[in-house]
Amino acid sequence: MYWDKTHETMPRPALEALQLERLRETLRAAQNSPFYKERLQQAGVTPEGLGSPGDARAIPFTTKEDLRTQGLGLLSRPLEDMVRLHASSGTTGQATVIYYTREDIATWAELLARSMYMTGMRASDVFQNMMGYGLFTGGLGFHYGAERLGALTIPAGAGNSRRQVQLMQQFSTTALHIIPSYALYLLVTFESMGVDPQDLPLRLAFIGAEPHTEDVRCRIEEAYGLKAFNSYGLSELNGPGVAFECPEQNGMHVWEDHFLLEVINPRTLEPAAPGEVGEVVLTNLSRRGMPVLRYRTRDLAALLPETCPCGRTHRRLSRIQGRTDDMLILKGVNIFPMQIERVLMAMPEVGANYLVELTRENFNDLMTVKVEVQQEFFQEDLKYLKSLQKKITNALKSELLVTPLVELVEPQTLPRSEGKALRIADHREK
Ligand code: DLL
């Protein structure tokens, strides 16, 4: 049931003692990087001065901007000790580059093996890794983890939908790693090939890398006939394998022997109360080549206060609710894209894809939500479609408090992404 029982079920006092020891080691390593050496000195923080993991609050935050501008100044070992780099897929500015030593790669693989084992994956499984191999961490990160676990690993990569289905058939795939929006999209390919995913031996899927709702998980589980587990991570902290759902499927355990977790109020920067949504802040506890301290992820989630019946002592995060930087402001009202997804995906008439377009006309902001309708409903008469449009508009209005324009479109007509879905198109000039 456990991959590493000692660490996964460690009593909290022992876990916190381990965190303190690793935090001190991390600070010692970080002091070798020009960037952190100066930062820590300025803040007067020393490894020996820390008396508990909570004392990490004296360490200044690290931001995306720091990572972007500091480059090699963040390395705590010489460049020749590094064996790999990955880069984040940021759409603005320069990509953030993360360097890994050989040990760092091994530790990361261990965490992913532990994560997948927790959901029930075993060496007898056939694992199809449908995420991009390359600078993105989703492909290689899981690949090494699955091999470490011992599963037969198919490095399928992203996209090429018909081939994905063929691979599943040919090799009797039992476990998938897939972006949730792509999992919904792939159902169209299954249909066009006359293959029912339920007839395949699929039993597990790991879904992550982008925000998604509980309804999306349910749709994937039902259509494929498997259990889908939420997987969270970010390149700045290795990549995937920071937090993962256990069989309880109620929140993601953050591997606290490797990451120091805080949830803060992004305005006051004080700790958020348990159960309250705030910004996730993470510190590497075991990365040696390029440890990152108190990284402000911009991801919004709540710490779940109860202990988990699965027996693991590592605390859980709720589903990621959005990001501090993805909030839209429309006519002065704050809107998180996940609110829109929650409303849409709860409606059986709505298909797999939608797009939110923001425009400005005569100083007036407009939001148009283009929604793909499931084929069987799209065939209905105009009167029916009008009433469906009204139903969606009202549901969105009561959630968002502004009235969007809703446009119903035919299935498979909105732009697709084989990677992370692009749901928002903001055409307003800044
Ligand atoms: O997306 C790492 C990853 C790969 C995670 C495969 C899971 C599976 P980045 O490209 O650096 O790394 O993007 C990180 O994606 O800060 C979140 O905003 C978002 N994200 C990742 N996982 C989830 C998730 C990878 N399960 C950024 N739910 C993060 C919601 C997620 N958002």
Side-chain angles (χ1 to χ4, degrees):
M1 185 175 160
Y2 303 106
W3 173 259
D4 176 357
K5 187 162 191 253
T6 312
H7 287 106
E8 290 175 54
T9 63
M10 201 173 238
R12 291 295 306 179
L15 183 55
E16 281 161 28
L18 179 65
Q19 284 189 315
L20 178 61
E21 185 191 316
R22 290 188 171 176
L23 182 62
R24 285 183 174 148
E25 270 174 51
T26 303
L27 285 198
R28 268 178 225 122
Q31 282 172 330
N32 294 323
S33 88
F35 172 73
Y36 278 123
K37 183 173 183 210
E38 193 186 327
R39 274 276 170 105
L40 293 170
Q41 237 165 25
Q42 274 169 1
V45 180
T46 60
E48 298 69 33
L50 299 173
S52 74
D55 290 347
R57 285 180 59 193
I59 304 170
F61 291 112
T62 305
T63 61
K64 178 118 192 149
E65 200 46 33
D66 292 328
L67 295 196
R68 222 179 252 149
T69 52
Q70 294 302 315
L72 297 175
L74 281 150
L75 297 194
S76 55
R77 295 251 180 103
L79 191 58
E80 67 195 46
D81 286 2
M82 307 298 159
V83 298
R84 168 116 54 97
L85 66 77
H86 282 284
S88 79
S89 52
T91 45
T92 51
Q94 218 182 321
T96 315
V97 184
I98 306 297
Y99 297 84
Y100 308 73
T101 64
R102 194 182 306 281
E103 288 171 85
D104 293 339
I105 297 283
T107 312
W108 184 23
E110 175 70 13
L111 282 178
L112 278 160
R114 184 200 278 186
S115 302
M116 289 186 273
Y117 194 90
M118 169 167 74
T119 68
M121 186 157 108
R122 295 294 178 265
S124 51
D125 275 293
V126 178
F127 172 70
Q128 188 164 327
N129 193 9
M130 303 168 62
M131 287 219 187
Y133 279 68
L135 291 175
F136 177 54
T137 52
L140 283 169
F142 266 77
H143 184 100
Y144 275 57
E147 283 190 353
R148 185 158 185 117
L149 190 151
L152 174 62
T153 304
I154 311 175
N160 209 344
S161 302
R162 292 179 75 84
R163 180 107 178 100
Q164 298 284 2
V165 175
Q166 285 160 355
L167 290 171
M168 287 179 209
Q169 290 177 304
Q170 185 177 355
F171 299 112
S172 300
T173 303
T174 57
L176 301 176
H177 181 213
I178 188 164
I179 296 212
S181 53
Y182 185 66
L184 293 180
Y185 168 47
L186 193 65
L187 291 170
V188 177
T189 307
F190 271 104
E191 208 182 315
S192 71
M193 292 171 73
V195 181
D196 183 350
Q198 306 257 4
D199 295 338
L200 300 176
L202 296 169
R203 60 184 204 93
L204 300 169
F206 311 121
I207 54 173
E210 68 179 11
H212 56 282
T213 57
E214 188 61 32
D215 278 315
V216 165
R217 183 232 296 274
C218 292
R219 283 180 180 216
I220 294 170
E221 289 192 331
E222 274 168 29
Y224 286 81
L226 46 68
K227 284 270 164 216
F229 296 89
N230 194 357
S231 137
Y232 168 75
L234 57 164
S235 348
E236 292 85 342
L237 274 300
N238 285 352
V242 172
F244 223 92
E245 268 181 342
C246 69
E248 297 291 323
Q249 292 188 303
N250 179 19
M252 301 176 286
H253 289 280
V254 175
W255 297 124
E256 291 186 273
D257 50 342
H258 293 268
F259 303 96
L260 191 69
L261 167 68
E262 298 168 74
V263 178
I264 63 165
N265 177 320
R267 269 173 293 112
T268 63
L269 307 182
E270 291 299 314
E276 193 186 311
V277 173
E279 180 178 347
V280 177
V281 173
L282 293 163
T283 299
N284 284 119
L285 291 177
S286 55
R287 195 160 70 188
R288 290 294 162 257
M290 183 180 163
V292 173
L293 310 179
R294 298 195 83 209
Y295 184 66
R296 290 192 61 178
T297 64
R298 306 190 194 175
D299 290 323
L300 294 167
L303 204 65
L304 303 183
E306 306 85 24
T307 54
C308 185
C310 79
R312 290 179 184 81
T313 49
H314 301 240
R315 289 176 301 169
R316 283 166 303 157
L317 276 183
S318 71
R319 198 170 273 294
I320 306 292
Q321 321 271 319
R323 291 173 55 83
T324 52
D325 53 4
D326 74 1
M327 191 180 74
L328 305 169
I329 304 185
L330 194 84
K331 301 181 189 183
V333 179
N334 298 347
I335 298 171
F336 284 102
M338 271 302 104
Q339 288 178 282
I340 300 174
E341 176 157 322
R342 254 199 309 277
V343 170
L344 296 180
M345 289 298 145
M347 297 183 157
E349 302 90 341
V350 172
N353 209 358
Y354 65 91
L355 180 71
V356 179
E357 284 183 340
L358 300 165
T359 48
R360 183 169 289 157
E361 267 174 36
N362 303 327
F363 305 102
N364 191 15
D365 286 349
L366 294 177
M367 175 161 76
T368 308
V369 183
K370 294 186 171 167
V371 181
E372 283 187 7
V373 177
Q374 300 272 23
Q375 194 64 53
E376 67 212 84
F377 296 99
F378 200 78
Q379 285 155 355
E380 297 280 336
D381 60 15
L382 202 60
K383 200 166 141 215
Y384 171 84
L385 289 175
K386 279 265 169 224
S387 78
L388 177 59
Q389 185 187 33
K390 192 150 184 216
K391 180 173 146 186
I392 298 175
T393 309
N394 288 340
L396 285 170
K397 184 179 168 191
S398 70
E399 168 72 30
L400 308 176
L401 309 175
V402 291
T403 313
L405 298 168
V406 171
E407 230 175 79
L408 302 183
V409 303
E410 241 182 293
Q412 301 159 56
T413 51
L414 291 175
R416 303 277 168 187
S417 161
E418 286 166 355
K420 303 185 188 221
L422 293 168
R423 304 292 202 192
I424 311 286
D426 195 342
H427 302 302
R428 299 174 295 181
E429 71 269 9
K430 297 276 167 340

